């Protein structure tokens, strides 16, 4: 449940309520908004033995949270969260573009991508060093060697870096080199990985599972936040449906739905949603228009030579063109890149 305090309440009244909760063995999460302070209560409510908080000094009302996710819930934290990564911010004022190759293939490929996506206006470099491939015989990623190139690319260009981790071993390695961890669609419900990401101290981008409902996705985020890490960005990347014309079906409505349920930022990955490069541009425009907090886009110096996801990857020229075409949409959404 959350306890909503009256506007301009005294700090003594807040302390009194929080002490009462903690003395009963429950956890308190304070959220100081512009108008009101909200006290979130986490734990078994029965321990409060029916205490009537509504009668306490400074309390406006008590709202039960019926959803199984609490800390990522909008009721807990009505203001949209801003997540800082390196020198960038992902949140309601900005439109963050993350771009780069599907997989880090070699030093020059990644550094060239970094330079070009930065020139076109991206603030994040993406690139996989651990690739979750459908076939075990497909390229699996350069692992630590790739992470070292990522670190160099981030350092030399100033871009923030994000890399997928597919296991606890990958996570332990990645935290030494990158600014943000990515948990991919296939691992959205890998609960041990989610908990470890929650303890990693790094911001996490959590992609939606291939066939996950929005509630399952938010519960996955709850695993991360409940370990003490509130720096989570959600990424809609298309879901499995009966449609075969695209690789996945982009659930554009996930953005407004998430807005009503959670305070976490949400970005869109049109590359994996479409699977076809010519659809990346219209879906990117739709993402800006629907109120997403940014995009993740695959870019490659030579898509036809890419070791993975070539058909959905943009050339540098196409990415530059896309960024130019997107700018009026971003301006209309009243955001800054
Ligand atoms: C990726 O971003 O490279 C990736 C594998 O995406 P997803 O987990 O969405 O399939
Ligand atoms: Mn990919």
């Amino acid at each position: 449940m959350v306890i909503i305090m009256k506007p301009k309440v005294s700090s003594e009244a807040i302390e009194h309520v929080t002490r009462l909760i903690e003395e009963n063995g429950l956890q308190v999460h304070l959220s100081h908004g512009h108008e009101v302070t909200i006290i979130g209560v986490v734990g078994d409510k029965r321990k409060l033995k029916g205490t009537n908080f509504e009668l306490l000094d400074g309390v406006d009302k008590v709202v039960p949270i019926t959803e199984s996710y609490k800390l990522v819930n909008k009721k807990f934290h009505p203001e949209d969260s801003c997540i800082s990564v390196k020198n960038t911010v992902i949140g309601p004022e900005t439109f963050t573009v993350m771009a780069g190759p599907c997989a880090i293939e070699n030093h020059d490929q990644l550094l060239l991508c970094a330079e070009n996506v930065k020139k076109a206006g991206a603030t994040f470099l993406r690139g996989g060093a651990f690739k979750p491939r459908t076939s075990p015989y497909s390229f699996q990623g350069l692992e630590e060697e790739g992470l070292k190139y990522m670190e160099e690319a981030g350092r030399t260009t100033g871009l923030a870096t994000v890399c997928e981790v597919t296991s606890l071993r990958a996570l332990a390695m990645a935290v030494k080199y990158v600014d943000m961890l990515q948990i991919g669609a296939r691992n959205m419900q890998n609960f041990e990985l989610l908990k470890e990401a929650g303890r990693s101290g790094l911001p996490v981008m959590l992609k939606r599972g291939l066939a996950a409902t929005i509630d399952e996705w938010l519960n996955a985020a709850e695993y991360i936040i409940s370990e003490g890490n509130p720096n989570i960005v959600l990424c809609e990347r298309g879901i499995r449906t009966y449609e075969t014309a695209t690789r996945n079906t982009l659930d554009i409505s996930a953005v407004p739905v998430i807005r009503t349920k959670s305070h976490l930022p949400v970005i869109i990955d049109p590359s994996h949603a479409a699977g076809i490069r010519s659809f990346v541009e219209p879906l990117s425009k739709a993402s800006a228009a629907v109120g997403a907090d940014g995009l993740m886009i695959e870019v490659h110096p030579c898509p036809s030579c890419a070791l993975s996801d070539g058909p959905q990857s943009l050339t540098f020229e196409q990415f530059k063109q896309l960024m130019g075409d997107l700018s009026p949409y971003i301006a209309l959404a009243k955001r800054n890149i």
Side-chain angles (χ1 to χ4, degrees):
M1 65 182 190
V2 291
I3 300 166
I4 301 171
M5 303 300 284
K6 289 179 178 152
K8 302 196 181 69
V9 73
S10 69
S11 52
E12 287 78 19
I14 296 173
E15 272 161 36
H16 180 227
V17 175
T18 50
R19 207 174 329 116
L20 206 57
I21 298 164
E22 285 168 348
E23 278 171 5
N24 283 289
L26 287 124
Q27 268 179 288
V28 165
H29 285 263
L30 275 183
S31 164
H32 297 288
H34 289 312
E35 298 286 322
V36 292
T37 295
I38 291 180
I39 303 174
V41 185
V42 183
D44 184 354
K45 259 194 332 215
R46 286 171 301 186
K47 287 186 181 164
L48 294 170
K49 300 174 201 88
T51 310
N52 194 342
F53 284 93
E54 255 154 6
L55 299 181
L56 298 179
D57 225 22
V59 174
D60 184 9
K61 57 180 174 214
V62 176
V63 180
I65 296 191
T66 46
E67 295 86 358
S68 49
Y69 50 88
K70 311 289 178 191
L71 303 177
V72 303
N73 202 306
K74 188 105 180 162
K75 290 176 193 152
F76 241 83
H77 191 289
E79 283 173 32
D80 291 333
S81 285
C82 274
I83 312 299
S84 298
V85 186
K86 204 172 180 177
N87 39 24
T88 68
V89 174
I90 305 162
E93 313 265 302
T94 49
F95 192 80
T96 304
V97 180
M98 308 180 176
C102 178
I104 304 165
E105 297 172 6
N106 57 60
H107 175 269
D108 293 358
Q109 173 241 21
L110 187 69
L111 274 281
L112 201 57
C113 281
E115 232 171 78
N116 278 278
V117 302
K118 184 184 173 164
K119 240 192 283 164
T123 51
F124 264 84
L125 177 65
R126 64 143 287 141
F130 303 90
K131 293 308 303 172
R133 305 302 299 282
T134 302
S135 162
Y137 309 117
S138 301
F139 177 58
Q140 302 285 308
L142 294 182
E143 303 201 343
E144 192 157 19
E145 183 191 342
L147 291 171
K148 287 182 179 165
Y149 301 151
M150 204 59 164
E151 189 277 330
E152 184 186 335
R155 180 164 36 79
T156 56
T157 58
L159 290 168
T161 57
V162 55
C163 231
E164 178 169 358
V165 290
T166 49
S167 65
L168 297 178
R169 179 182 75 87
L171 189 151
M173 226 184 259
V175 292
K176 295 188 261 172
Y177 300 102
V178 300
D179 300 311
M180 185 180 214
L181 302 174
Q182 173 175 328
I183 302 225
R186 287 153 196 83
N187 277 302
M188 191 208 82
Q189 283 189 317
N190 180 339
F191 299 118
E192 288 310 312
L193 192 59
L194 294 171
K195 285 190 265 182
E196 199 56 33
R199 295 188 282 259
S200 69
L202 283 186
V204 180
M205 194 187 68
L206 178 65
K207 287 191 145 192
R208 183 178 184 178
L210 304 174
T213 65
I214 288 174
D215 274 18
E216 286 164 343
W217 188 15
L218 289 173
N219 272 298
E222 188 78 14
Y223 268 89
I224 301 170
I225 205 169
S226 64
E227 293 294 331
N229 186 353
N231 300 313
I232 305 165
V233 175
L234 301 169
C235 178
E236 160 63 40
R237 45 77 73 206
I239 48 175
R240 274 269 164 96
T241 68
Y242 51 79
E243 183 53 71
T244 53
T246 47
R247 182 174 178 182
N248 293 288
T249 298
L250 179 61
D251 180 11
I252 200 94
S253 62
V255 175
V257 173
I258 291 285
R259 291 274 179 258
T260 65
K261 291 174 175 274
S262 177
H263 54 88
L264 296 178
V266 55
I267 67 164
I268 285 183
D269 170 352
S271 306
H272 289 90
I276 299 167
R277 86 171 60 85
S278 59
F279 298 152
V280 170
E281 186 214 300
L283 296 181
S284 296
K285 289 175 174 170
S287 305
V290 83
D293 298 302
L295 291 168
M296 172 174 261
I297 293 176
E298 286 187 338
V299 175
H300 196 280
C302 171
S304 59
C305 330
L307 295 181
S308 62
D309 288 349
Q312 68 198 32
S313 299
L314 303 185
T315 62
F316 296 148
E317 199 42 48
Q318 287 165 337
F319 181 65
K320 190 173 147 209
Q321 173 94 34
L322 168 71
M323 292 296 278
D325 291 350
L326 260 185
S327 68
Y329 290 79
I330 296 168
L332 269 178
K334 298 197 171 47
R335 289 169 183 262
N336 301 306
I337 206 136

